[in-house]
Amino acid sequence: MILKKNVLALVVLVVVALGASFIFLSSFDTTSEPVSPTTETEPISAPRLLFGLAMDGYDIETKSVGRNEFLSDILQRYQIDLQSIAILADKSKPVFDVRKIAVGHDYTVFKDTTGKAAYFVYQPNAIDYVVYDLRDSIAVYKEQKAVDTKIETVAGVIQNSLYQTLESNGASPDLAVQLAEIYGWAVNFYRINKGDWFKLVYERKYIDGEPIGPGRIQSAVFGHNGKEYQAYYFEPNDGQPGAYYDENGKSLRRTFLKAPLKYSRISSRFTMRRFHPVQRRWKAHLGTDFAAPHGTPIVATAAGVVTESTFSGGNGNYVKIKHDNVYATQYLHMSKRAVKKGQRVAQGQVIGYVGSTGLATGPHVCYRFWKNGRQVDALAQVFPPSEPINERYRVAFNNVLNMQQNTLASVGFEKQSNLEAYSTLAFTIERLFEPTEDNSRILDGFSAQIL
C-alpha cells in the first residue's frame, strides 16, 4: 500500500516537472512570426522651382522686352486687363519703377491652363528679379538669384590693348576698369606699351554656372616701362574700409588721379607748339585732351573747392577747382556741368560730362593743371603716396600679403619669352622723343591705348 502511494506521488511529480519544463522552454521559442509584406512608399519629389516659384501646373514662357514695348503691351497679351495693370504699376513704385523696364531685358511669364498670366517676372540685371503676383490679389516683391563667387587668376602680355588681352586670356574686360582705378594714382594707363604685362587674382561671380562678371581684384602686379607695380587689397576686420597697398604697406592712393576720366585715350598732349584744329594756327596747348564718348562722366582728380563753373566761348562749359594753396585744375568742353561755384568736391566725384562745347572738334575733356599759379603738364607731376597702413594692422596685412604673393607667383604667362624685350623696347622709345605734338602721335602708335 505504501509502495503504491510512493509510485503515485512519483508519477505526479514527473508530470508536474514535465509540464513546468514545457512552459519554461516554450518561452524561448525563436520561431519568427510571419511578416506581412509591406508596400514601399515612393519618395516625395521636391517641386521644381523657378525664381522661387513652383513650376508645376504652369506653362513657362521667357522672352525679351522688344523695342517700344511697355509693360501694358506685354501683360495684355496674357489676358491682364488695363485696370489690373494700373494697380500693378502703382503697387510696384516702392519696389521697382515699371517705367525702367528696358528693351532687351528678359521677362518670364507663368501661364495657367487658360493662357492667363499668374506670375510675371522681370530681370533688370543678371542678379535681381522682380516678381509680380497676378493671381487673386496683386503683389510685387524683389529678390536676388544665388551668386557663387570663385577666386580665379589671369595673366597676360599686352600686344594691342588691355581690354583685348584680358578677353583673349579668358577674363572679363571689365577688369580693365578696376585696374585703372587701382593704379590710377601710379600708372599712366593712357600710355600703356606693347609688352607691358599683368598678373591678377580676382573674384569671379557665377549664376546658374554662368559667369556674370568680375568681383573685386584681390591682388595684382602690373609691369610697365620696366617697373613692377604691386597692389594688394586689405580690409581690417574692425569695420574700417578696405584699400589697396603696395608690398611695403604704402597706400596706392595719391593726392591726384592721373586723369579725370576712368577710361579713355589721350588725343592731344601738353605742348608749347600745336596746330589748333579749329583756329588753324600754331599755338601752345597747355593741357591734356582725353577723348571719350559724349556724356562720359568727368571726375575731380583731387578734393577741393569749385572756384568756377560756367560757360565761355573757347572753353565751353567748364569747371575749375582749387585744391590748396599750390594746386588747381580745370576741365573744359563739358556737355553739362554737375557742380556749382563754392561747392566742395571729393576726389573721384563727378563734376560734369564729356562734350564738345566751345572750340572743340569732337567730344573730349581738356584737362589743365596749375602749380603755384603756372600751368604745367599734369602727366609729368609726381606726388608722394598717402599714409601707409596703420601699424596695428601690420601683422594681419603681412598674412594677406604672403598668401597673395604666393598665389601670384604661381600664375604664369602663355608667352613670357619676349616680355623683357618688349618692356625694354617700349621704355627706350618713350625716352627717345620729346613731348611735342608730332612725337606724341608717334608714341601713340606704339602705345596700346585703352579704347
Side-chain angles (χ1 to χ4, degrees):
M1 189 67 179
I2 295 174
L3 179 62
K4 287 184 178 181
K5 288 183 179 179
N6 290 339
V7 172
L8 180 60
L10 181 61
V11 171
V12 173
L13 181 61
V14 171
V15 171
V16 172
L18 289 174
S21 300
F22 175 78
I23 294 171
F24 177 76
L25 293 173
S26 66
S27 64
F28 292 92
D29 186 8
T30 57
T31 305
S32 59
E33 293 290 332
V35 180
S36 58
T38 58
T39 304
E40 292 186 5
T41 57
E42 294 292 332
I44 300 175
S45 58
R48 296 181 302 144
L49 299 178
L50 181 63
F51 301 109
L53 304 172
M55 300 172 62
D56 296 339
Y58 294 109
D59 182 16
I60 310 297
E61 191 170 278
T62 298
K63 293 184 177 180
S64 298
V65 179
R67 187 176 297 277
N68 298 322
E69 190 172 49
F70 300 97
L71 180 63
S72 59
D73 302 321
I74 298 171
L75 292 182
Q76 285 184 85
R77 293 201 298 266
Y78 298 99
Q79 305 176 31
I80 305 299
D81 58 74
L82 289 174
Q83 183 180 358
S84 298
I85 295 173
I87 295 172
L88 179 149
D90 185 62
K91 285 191 174 184
S92 182
K93 286 180 181 178
V95 180
F96 180 80
D97 188 347
V98 297
R99 293 174 297 180
K100 294 183 179 180
I101 291 178
V103 60
H105 289 260
D106 290 341
Y107 65 85
T108 301
V109 180
F110 290 65
K111 298 187 296 182
D112 61 21
T113 55
T114 67
K116 184 178 180 180
Y119 298 98
F120 173 80
V121 183
Y122 175 70
Q123 296 177 252
N125 53 60
I127 298 177
D128 300 310
Y129 61 90
V130 185
V131 178
Y132 297 89
D133 187 343
L134 305 170
R135 297 174 300 172
D136 297 336
S137 60
I138 295 174
V140 184
Y141 58 91
K142 190 175 182 180
E143 295 287 352
Q144 288 188 332
K145 292 183 176 180
V147 179
D148 184 21
T149 302
K150 300 179 181 179
I151 303 300
E152 300 189 0
T153 62
V154 64
V157 179
I158 297 171
Q159 302 298 323
N160 296 301
S161 74
L162 181 56
Y163 262 118
Q164 292 176 351
T165 306
L166 284 164
E167 193 169 33
S168 63
N169 284 277
S172 170
D174 293 342
L175 287 170
V177 178
Q178 284 198 55
L179 282 172
E181 292 175 349
I182 292 170
Y183 291 111
W185 301 270
V187 175
N188 182 1
F189 271 78
Y190 305 96
R191 293 185 69 177
I192 295 177
N193 301 307
K194 184 176 182 179
D196 286 351
W197 56 275
F198 59 86
K199 291 183 179 184
L200 307 179
V201 179
Y202 67 100
E203 300 170 349
R204 195 167 195 175
K205 297 180 179 180
Y206 290 81
I207 289 181
D208 299 328
E210 294 294 325
I212 62 168
R216 178 186 291 119
I217 291 176
Q218 293 192 343
S219 60
V221 56
F222 199 94
H224 175 63
N225 282 347
K227 293 180 64 178
E228 289 187 11
Y229 298 89
Q230 299 181 41
Y232 302 93
Y233 181 78
F234 175 74
E235 183 174 352
N237 58 9
D238 59 1
Q240 295 297 315
Y244 288 94
Y245 300 87
D246 66 12
E247 66 275 21
N248 298 313
K250 294 181 180 179
S251 174
L252 292 183
R253 183 180 292 271
R254 298 297 193 271
T255 309
F256 283 87
L257 301 175
K258 283 285 187 180
L261 302 176
K262 287 187 176 181
Y263 222 49
S264 181
R265 66 180 178 85
I266 293 177
S267 55
S268 184
R269 288 182 168 80
F270 184 98
T271 178
M272 300 306 296
R273 180 170 160 71
R274 183 189 75 152
F275 188 75
H276 198 284
V278 176
Q279 296 178 327
R280 310 300 297 173
R281 62 186 179 91
W282 291 93
K283 59 182 296 187
H285 183 243
L286 303 181
T288 304
D289 290 348
F290 294 91
H294 190 278
T296 300
I298 300 169
V299 301
T301 55
V305 177
V306 177
T307 57
E308 297 177 45
S309 179
T310 186
F311 179 91
S312 71
N315 294 342
N317 284 312
Y318 76 92
V319 169
K320 189 172 183 179
I321 300 173
K322 181 180 179 180
H323 303 287
D324 52 29
N325 292 330
V326 177
Y327 298 107
T329 56
Q330 190 179 23
Y331 313 78
L332 314 182
H333 310 306
M334 295 178 172
S335 62
K336 181 181 178 181
R337 289 172 278 117
V339 292
K340 297 180 179 179
K341 182 178 178 179
Q343 182 176 340
R344 179 166 291 278
V345 295
Q347 185 182 59
Q349 180 177 334
V350 175
I351 58 173
Y353 301 89
V354 169
S356 53
T357 57
L359 294 178
T361 57
H364 73 283
V365 58
C366 178
Y367 176 53
R368 301 197 172 190
F369 197 95
W370 275 264
K371 182 177 181 179
N372 294 320
R374 184 172 65 90
Q375 291 193 61
V376 297
D377 185 357
L379 299 182
Q381 305 306 303
V382 178
F383 303 102
S386 55
E387 291 296 319
I389 195 166
N390 193 301
E391 282 302 316
R392 72 174 181 267
Y393 303 133
R394 177 64 67 173
V395 173
F397 171 76
N398 286 340
N399 291 336
V400 172
L401 176 68
N402 292 335
M403 180 182 67
Q404 293 296 327
Q405 284 184 328
N406 289 336
T407 304
L408 285 169
S410 67
V411 182
F413 297 96
E414 290 185 5
K415 298 179 180 179
Q416 198 172 8
S417 57
N418 294 327
L419 177 61
E420 294 184 1
Y422 279 133
S423 297
T424 303
L425 175 62
F427 184 78
T428 303
I429 290 173
E430 182 180 3
R431 295 297 182 268
L432 287 176
F433 298 100
E434 295 296 327
T436 65
E437 178 62 20
D438 290 339
N439 289 340
S440 293
R441 292 196 187 99
I442 296 173
L443 282 171
D444 282 343
F446 288 103
S447 300
Q449 297 296 348
I450 291 174
L451 287 182

